[in-house]
Amino acid sequence: MSDPVRFLNAFAHSLGVMTLYAEGHPSREKAVDSAFDELDGLTLPGGHLPAFTFLEDEVVFGRERLRELKSWDWGKRLVAAGIERLELERRVTREEFNSFLEEVLARMMLSTVDTTEVRQMRSLGIRYGAVGLQGRDAIDPALDAAFASLPGVMTTLELTLGEEAETFRWLQTEIKSGGSVPLLEAEAVVRSLSVAMHGDSRMVLPLLKLKEFDQYTTTHSLNVAVLSMGLAESLGCRPKEIRAIGVAGLLHDIGKIRIPLEVLTKPGKLNDEERAIMNSHPIDGARVIMQSDQDLGMAATVAYEHHIMLDGGGYPVIHYRRECAMASRLVHVCDVYDALSTKRPYRDAWPAERTMAYLEERAGTEFDPELVATFIRTLKQGQARVRVLSDEPQPT
Ligand SMILES: [Fe+2]
Ligand SMILES: [Fe+2]
C-alpha cells in the first residue's frame, strides 16, 4: 500500500472511531496517533507538502490518481461535506491535526451543508474546503456581451490554470521528442479541469484567453477539453465518460506538434504544400496516440475524425461514408467554437453570438444538430458560466 493510501485509510478510520469514542479514550487516541504518523511522513514528489483532491469517485494525491482507492467511499462523503481539497501549509503538530479532525467530523455530521458557498477553511496549518477559481468573469468583450445577462454568483477565487497549461506544454515537448503520450499527466490535467468546473453550484467553464500566438495549441487544447466536458455533462454522460472525452478534447490536435510554427501562425492563406501539412494533423495525431496507450482508443478516434463533417466533407477524406463517433462529433463542435472565438493571426476573434449563429447555420450539414442545440443551450441558458482565466502559475 502506498503512503498516501495508508494515510487516507488511517484518516477515515480515525473519523469513524471519533464518532464512537470521546476525547481521551485509548482507541480514539491510538487511531489519531496512527493517522498523524502517516501524515507526518508524507511528501509529494519534489519534497512538497501533501495535497489531496477528492472527487466523487476518485482521490488525487498531488497530480496522481490513487488507483488503489477504488472502493474507498470516503471521497464521496468528504465532497458532500464541502471538502474537495485538503492541503498542508506546513508540518502540523499532533494537536493541530486533532482539532482539524474534529472540524472535519463536525462538518460531516451537519445534516445540511450549504455547498453553494465556496469556503476555504483553515485549521492551523491545514487548508481544506471546496475548490474555487481564480480569475475574472469573462473579460473578452465578445464573451461579456453574450454572458453579461446571466445571473452569476462570484466564487471565492483560488485556482488558475497555470499548472495545467504548463503540464500540457511539457506533454507536447515529450511527444515531440519522440516519447509516447504521457497518459497520467493528460488525465491529471483533465481531472483538475473537471475540479475547476465544479467548485460552484453551477457548472463553470474555465476558458483561457490566448496571449501569444505561438501558445495557440496549448490554450486551444485546454479550452476544447473544458468545452467538451461541459457538453458531455449537459448530455448526461457519466463522470468517467466525461473525463475520457476531456482527454480526447485535450489531445485532439496533438498531431500539430510537428507542424512548423511559421505554418501554424501564418497570417495569410496557406499554399497547397502548407495546406497539405496542416491537413495531415488528424492522421499524425491518431498515429501518435495509438502508439502510446491502449486506453486511448477514443482519443485516437477523435484525433482522426475531428475535422470530418456530418455530411462526410472535411478531412481526412473518407472513402466509405460512415458516421463518426459521438465523441468526435462532439469535439468537432467545441473545436470550431473555440477556434472562431479566438483571435488568429489572419482574423479577429468572433463574438460569441456570431459563433453560435455559425454553428446553428451549419447544424445538419457540418455539425450534429442535437449536439449544437445542447451546446448552445448550455452556454445561453446559463447551465454553465464562462470564466476567463489566466494561465499564470498559481500564487502560493
Ligand atoms: Fe484540428
Ligand atoms: Fe482544434
Side-chain angles (χ1 to χ4, degrees):
M1 202 187 291
S2 68
D3 295 350
V5 171
R6 273 210 313 276
F7 162 68
L8 288 171
N9 283 325
F11 170 56
H13 177 66
S14 33
L15 289 172
V17 169
M18 283 167 84
T19 59
L20 298 172
Y21 302 107
E23 178 110 52
H25 189 285
S27 303
R28 174 169 170 151
E29 298 309 309
K30 209 176 126 205
V32 175
D33 278 344
S34 77
F36 175 70
D37 288 345
E38 292 298 345
L39 179 66
D40 205 36
L42 210 54
T43 42
L44 277 171
H48 296 290
L49 288 165
F52 291 92
T53 306
F54 303 102
L55 296 166
E56 291 275 315
D57 55 348
E58 277 182 18
V59 182
V60 183
F61 179 58
R63 305 195 135 269
E64 190 193 335
R65 175 165 63 134
L66 298 174
R67 291 174 193 261
E68 301 156 74
L69 276 173
K70 271 203 174 125
S71 55
W72 198 72
D73 65 347
W74 282 80
K76 207 174 273 172
R77 295 194 225 175
L78 290 166
V79 171
I83 300 167
E84 293 167 338
R85 194 165 167 92
L86 165 60
E87 55 190 49
L88 284 201
E89 292 178 309
R90 56 173 167 80
R91 291 273 160 223
V92 295
T93 63
R94 157 79 164 70
E95 205 178 313
E96 288 166 341
F97 180 63
N98 187 53
S99 40
F100 159 71
L101 287 176
E102 279 171 357
E103 284 172 36
V104 170
L105 194 64
R107 292 190 58 78
M108 293 184 81
M109 309 275 265
L110 285 176
S111 52
T112 50
V113 175
D114 179 10
T115 50
T116 58
E117 182 198 336
V118 175
R119 296 174 210 79
Q120 289 294 325
M121 287 153 288
R122 210 174 272 259
S123 180
L124 290 170
I126 306 178
R127 287 192 336 140
Y128 64 103
V131 172
L133 287 173
Q134 175 147 56
R136 309 154 284 244
D137 267 335
I139 49 161
D140 180 342
L143 288 171
D144 264 351
F147 301 109
S149 57
L150 301 173
V153 192
M154 279 299 289
T155 54
T156 304
L157 307 175
E158 283 296 324
L159 294 179
T160 68
L161 295 182
E163 276 183 46
E164 290 68 27
E166 212 174 277
T167 307
F168 189 69
R169 278 192 280 270
W170 169 84
L171 185 143
Q172 286 169 287
T173 29
E174 274 294 295
I175 302 172
K176 203 170 175 177
S177 58
S180 55
V181 178
L183 180 59
L184 285 180
E185 279 76 9
E187 283 178 341
V189 168
V190 161
R191 228 177 291 116
S192 96
L193 293 176
S194 149
V195 169
M197 289 165 71
H198 296 99
D200 202 352
S201 55
R202 206 154 25 120
M203 181 166 56
V204 177
L205 300 176
L207 298 182
L208 285 169
K209 192 174 161 65
L210 181 70
K211 281 189 299 228
E212 317 276 347
F213 283 129
D214 61 356
Q215 287 302 320
Y216 175 71
T217 309
T218 299
T219 310
H220 172 66
S221 301
L222 290 170
N223 287 351
V224 171
V226 165
L227 292 167
S228 303
M229 285 196 282
L231 177 50
E233 186 168 329
S234 295
L235 290 166
C237 295
R238 283 172 298 148
K240 231 178 141 190
E241 296 166 337
I242 296 175
R243 286 199 293 275
I245 287 177
V247 171
L250 188 72
L251 299 176
H252 79 282
D253 270 341
I254 206 71
K256 284 187 179 172
I257 47 168
R258 288 194 191 94
I259 299 182
L261 209 56
E262 313 85 78
V263 178
L264 278 180
T265 56
K266 184 176 173 181
K269 221 171 171 298
L270 300 180
N271 63 34
D272 288 350
E273 193 192 338
E274 291 162 342
R275 175 55 52 203
I277 296 177
M278 197 65 150
N279 288 7
S280 66
H281 82 270
I283 293 174
D284 288 344
R287 188 179 303 126
V288 166
I289 296 170
M290 266 184 332
Q291 285 163 353
S292 299
D293 202 301
Q294 289 179 337
D295 275 1
L296 286 169
M298 187 207 274
T301 306
V302 168
Y304 190 86
E305 295 181 336
H306 74 278
H307 284 287
I308 300 176
M309 301 181 185
L310 192 71
D311 62 10
Y315 61 90
V317 175
I318 42 171
H319 299 291
Y320 302 97
R321 186 81 187 277
R322 59 175 168 82
E323 195 177 54
C324 291
M326 194 278 272
S328 307
R329 285 178 274 139
L330 183 152
V331 169
H332 183 50
V333 172
C334 302
D335 181 30
V336 172
Y337 178 84
D338 184 67
L340 294 175
S341 309
T342 305
K343 185 174 161 62
R344 304 295 290 129
Y346 42 87
R347 62 157 168 76
D348 263 342
W350 283 18
E353 290 294 351
R354 182 174 172 198
T355 313
M356 289 193 237
Y358 178 87
L359 295 179
E360 272 171 335
E361 246 164 57
R362 311 193 57 149
T365 50
E366 174 166 359
F367 306 110
D368 182 319
E370 276 175 44
L371 293 176
V372 168
T374 309
F375 184 68
I376 289 181
R377 207 167 45 238
T378 306
L379 291 176
K380 271 195 179 162
Q381 295 182 351
Q383 284 159 350
R385 282 177 303 126
V386 170
R387 179 74 50 86
V388 178
L389 296 184
S390 99
D391 63 352
E392 303 292 323
Q394 196 167 332
T396 43

